[in-house]
Amino acid sequence: MLPYIRSDLSQLTAYTPHPGGTSGQPVPTLLDRLDTNECPYDLPDELKQKLAWLYQHEIETNRYPDGSHASLKQAIAEYVNETDGVAGITPDQISVGNGSDELIRSLLIATCLNGAGSILVADPTFSMYGIIATTLGIPVISVNRHPDTFELDLGAGKTAITQSAKPPLRVVFVVHPNSPTANALTPNEINWLRNLPPEILVVIDEAYFEFSQNTLVGELSRHPNWIILRTFSKAFRLAALRVGYAIAHPELISVLEKVRLPYNLPSFSLAAASLALENRQTLLGVIDEIIGEREQLIAELKQIPALKIWPSASNFLYLRLNAPSPALDLPKLMAQLKSQGTLVRYTGEGLRITIGSPAENQRTLNHLQKLL
Ligand SMILES: *Cc1c(COP(=O)(O)O)cnc(C)c1O
């Protein structure tokens, strides 16, 4: 351990982007990468060419990027307001981050740093909340979910809030729909969030909104202690370029703007996000196909008696084994799928499988039928 490093960091290991993906036994060269919930399709050629044109003719690489993000925020506000039941979201209610990961870090810096607060998560859920909190020395309180529905244990959540004192619980993280379990928030859970006290910030991560078409943005004006996170990494196909955004009350947004680095997004990423929004009709046109594929794959996998499969409101599905044994468990199944050329993620004691292209989904189904 280096003597000048905070001792609490010694327990942490760096995030592995594809656990089981690049190590272990040799894998076929054709890999179906169904472990990170991206869209299976790259940007269409015309859009890549437009982006290349912008890079060549409009972006001056010797100049700092637009640190105000003004035109992107305007475009995001317009996009958000297109949703039924949502109106009046303005650019001063938007903050743009280098992926939503950066926004999560900024939120934690603004709320909990220096012993000011702890956070609540319901496991299994997106791992970055806990990972980033731990790197900042912020305590993480975990509650469980119902083993069948994955609804969060609201009783345990209440207890955590009333019993936390030093430091007090300051932030509740929920994902709508959750990853890895693919369930949307229930009316019960949403009611609980509505009634949380104003000194607790509620972060609603809608990374998969375009697949669920289910949003709580319409309630933001009634809940100034709520913030919604979205990303360009999933349905908008820009995972490589790292753009996420937050929607909240202008006062909270101005704090996020204070905390972030001044030039947090490269000009190229800003241009790509604007271009993606301008072409949203095209890019989001494949969502119906992905949802149809999801329903078909779930129906086919339900025919395999060894598997327990949950419904999904997103672009991935979650499964476990009905009767795991030493001969057959999910880490083994994950490794076998990998040796057949399909990467999936083992997390929260289940397998999370991204819905890919029709060919990828067919191969996944074939492998699972053969292995089980
Ligand atoms: C993929 C994902 C994100 C996106 O993170 P970026 O940093 O924007 O790529 C955020 N939240 C959840 C729950 C996710 O699954």
Side-chain angles (χ1 to χ4, degrees):
M1 189 69 194
L2 303 169
Y4 41 80
I5 299 295
R6 271 164 44 204
S7 60
D8 59 313
L9 289 180
S10 65
Q11 282 110 47
L12 267 186
T13 47
Y15 181 75
T16 329
H18 294 274
T22 49
S23 59
Q25 70 249 69
V27 292
T29 41
L30 175 74
L31 277 182
D32 293 334
R33 290 163 292 173
L34 306 180
D35 61 337
T36 38
N37 291 349
E38 296 132 332
C39 177
Y41 305 114
D42 199 344
L43 284 185
D45 268 352
E46 317 87 81
L47 290 191
K48 276 213 163 159
Q49 276 160 22
K50 270 191 197 157
L51 201 51
W53 188 93
L54 288 172
Y55 188 43
Q56 199 159 20
H57 300 281
E58 297 218 328
I59 293 175
E60 300 169 285
T61 60
N62 58 320
R63 301 293 173 193
Y64 281 104
D66 169 16
S68 77
H69 310 153
S71 62
L72 180 56
K73 285 183 179 185
Q74 179 65 44
I76 290 171
E78 281 166 26
Y79 167 62
V80 171
N81 284 325
E82 276 171 11
T83 310
D84 279 348
V86 179
I89 297 292
T90 48
D92 63 347
Q93 289 179 267
I94 311 270
S95 183
V96 184
N98 196 293
S100 11
D101 290 348
E102 187 199 6
L103 294 161
I104 294 164
R105 180 148 71 178
S106 296
L107 281 170
L108 290 172
I109 290 171
T111 52
C112 295
L113 208 62
N114 278 335
S118 60
I119 68 162
L120 183 83
V121 297
D123 283 324
T125 195
F126 188 49
S127 59
M128 290 315 292
Y129 313 128
I131 293 171
I132 298 174
T134 309
T135 65
L136 296 171
I138 293 167
V140 180
I141 302 171
S142 298
V143 296
N144 290 327
R145 293 173 179 273
H146 189 282
D148 288 321
T149 62
F150 297 123
E151 187 172 86
L152 65 91
D153 184 340
L154 298 177
K158 273 178 204 144
T159 310
I161 289 169
T162 47
Q163 291 188 348
S164 70
K166 279 184 194 153
L169 202 145
R170 277 282 170 257
V171 187
V172 170
F173 282 95
V174 292
V175 195
H176 185 44
N178 189 42
S179 173
T181 52
N183 53 309
L185 289 169
T186 62
N188 249 348
E189 290 173 310
I190 295 171
N191 255 331
W192 182 68
L193 299 175
R194 287 185 186 122
N195 291 311
L196 285 175
E199 62 273 15
I200 291 183
L201 175 68
V202 177
V203 181
I204 301 160
D205 189 334
E206 294 187 352
Y208 300 97
F209 158 69
E210 284 79 11
F211 301 101
S212 74
Q213 284 301 317
N214 200 343
T215 179
L216 288 169
V217 171
E219 291 199 35
L220 273 182
S221 57
R222 267 169 281 152
H223 300 286
N225 62 326
W226 285 14
I227 185 163
I228 293 189
L229 300 183
R230 300 254 187 97
T231 182
F232 284 86
S233 297
K234 305 284 158 61
F236 278 105
R237 315 187 196 181
L238 294 184
L241 300 181
R242 315 297 305 124
V243 190
Y245 59 97
I247 320 163
H249 192 278
E251 204 176 334
L252 175 53
I253 291 297
S254 70
V255 176
L256 284 180
E257 294 289 291
K258 234 190 273 195
V259 166
R260 73 169 169 84
L261 297 176
Y263 301 111
N264 57 336
L265 271 134
S267 302
F268 193 75
S269 296
L270 290 169
S274 292
L275 189 71
L277 278 177
E278 277 164 34
N279 292 277
R280 54 189 174 272
Q281 222 118 18
T282 310
L283 295 181
L284 303 181
V286 299
I287 300 248
D288 283 347
E289 175 198 290
I290 291 171
I291 290 172
E293 284 287 309
R294 174 189 80 201
E295 291 310 301
Q296 199 180 329
L297 186 57
I298 288 178
E300 307 255 25
L301 291 175
K302 276 190 173 160
Q303 308 296 313
I304 303 178
L307 294 179
K308 179 169 169 62
I309 318 247
W310 277 268
S312 167
S314 200
N315 67 330
F316 53 90
L317 59 85
Y318 194 64
L319 60 82
R320 288 182 184 157
L321 293 170
N322 280 315
S325 68
L328 177 69
D329 62 21
L330 288 175
K332 268 194 191 122
L333 188 59
M334 180 186 75
Q336 287 167 331
L337 281 170
K338 180 183 154 194
S339 64
Q340 310 254 324
T342 301
L343 291 184
V344 300
R345 191 165 171 106
Y346 173 65
T347 176
E349 288 159 39
L351 286 192
R352 191 192 68 190
I353 305 179
T354 307
I355 306 302
S357 66
E360 289 173 318
N361 302 329
Q362 187 60 51
R363 285 194 288 268
T364 304
L365 177 64
N366 295 348
H367 298 330
L368 283 169
Q369 283 170 335
K370 201 163 54 183
L371 292 166
L372 298 167

